[in-house]
Amino acid sequence: MKKIYLLNDQKFENIENLEVFEIEYLKFDIDLKQYNALVFTSKNAILSLNKNTQDWIDIPSYVIAQKTADIAKKFNANISFIGSSGHGNDFAYELIPYLKNKKVLYIKALKTVSNLPNILRENSINIDEIVAYKTTCNKKEPIILEKNSTIIFTSPSSVECFFKKYSWHSSFKAIVIGKTTALYLPKNIDYQISVSTSVEECVKLALKS
């Protein structure tokens, strides 16, 4: 069986994890009493916020996708809306009718690729932002990747950190979790995009390829 490398830590049968980045949850103080809507575009934003305060649980949460919602549900969060697009900019447009006349907090990464907060501001949404976590390339030694392997890229950070450690071989196949991540691949690399922005769908596609 051809090797499939997944560039994060989620576990799947017949898939090898190749972790090239790490998540650092940041410490911060935030008075949540002034907000009546929280926006999440990743599970790490939820996990970081919960490490800093549990006062967020009762505030209505607006989350980008079902997988993110599943993490919020583990904390008994008050989920008001789950996006269907899975992409940051599209999610912003989905949110506009729900966030009118609300005071909104967007919990985000240090580096983001979407234009979500600006889209919301341009549509008269009162939104603040707080940086809750950051992604950095790890210092693990690179391994020898087997030829004819499939590489699953799950975020722009996974693309950036992979190419800091590895060279692309012409026999490799690339699968990406979404169109935003695909933009970060070198232009000479062909790729397939999963039907939805979930790691599970990426893995299904890799197993079929």
Side-chain angles (χ1 to χ4, degrees), residues 56-190:
W56 69 279
I57 294 171
D58 293 326
I59 302 171
S61 292
Y62 298 74
V63 297
I64 193 168
Q66 186 61 53
K67 288 295 180 183
T68 314
D70 291 342
I71 299 299
K73 286 176 182 176
K74 291 181 179 180
F75 298 105
N76 296 313
N78 177 8
I79 299 173
S80 286
F81 178 77
I82 301 172
S84 60
S85 69
H87 301 285
N89 289 353
D90 296 337
F91 179 48
Y93 288 108
E94 288 183 88
L95 287 173
I96 291 167
Y98 298 96
L99 297 181
K100 293 289 186 184
N101 303 315
K102 295 186 185 299
K103 177 66 172 175
V104 183
L105 179 65
Y106 174 37
I107 302 92
K108 55 180 278 190
L110 178 63
K111 290 196 296 183
T112 58
V113 295
S114 78
N115 199 33
L116 180 145
N118 290 333
I119 292 171
L120 292 177
R121 289 190 186 100
E122 289 165 1
N123 286 274
S124 303
I125 304 299
N126 184 5
I127 182 170
D128 292 337
E129 305 169 54
I130 188 166
V131 175
Y133 69 98
K134 64 180 181 179
T135 303
T136 55
C137 300
N138 65 32
K139 294 180 171 58
K140 292 182 179 179
E141 287 296 316
I143 64 172
I144 297 175
L145 303 180
E146 293 184 15
K147 292 179 181 178
N148 300 304
S149 296
T150 298
I151 317 295
I152 302 176
F153 297 93
T154 57
S155 67
S157 294
S158 71
V159 176
E160 175 190 353
C161 296
F162 177 87
F163 284 98
K164 284 185 176 180
K165 288 177 185 264
Y166 298 99
S167 297
W168 191 257
H169 192 272
S170 59
S171 68
F172 292 165
K173 291 182 179 179
I175 289 176
V176 296
I177 198 167
K179 58 188 179 182
T180 302
T181 299
L183 292 173
Y184 285 76
L185 283 173
K187 301 301 182 188
N188 63 318
I189 293 178
D190 293 327

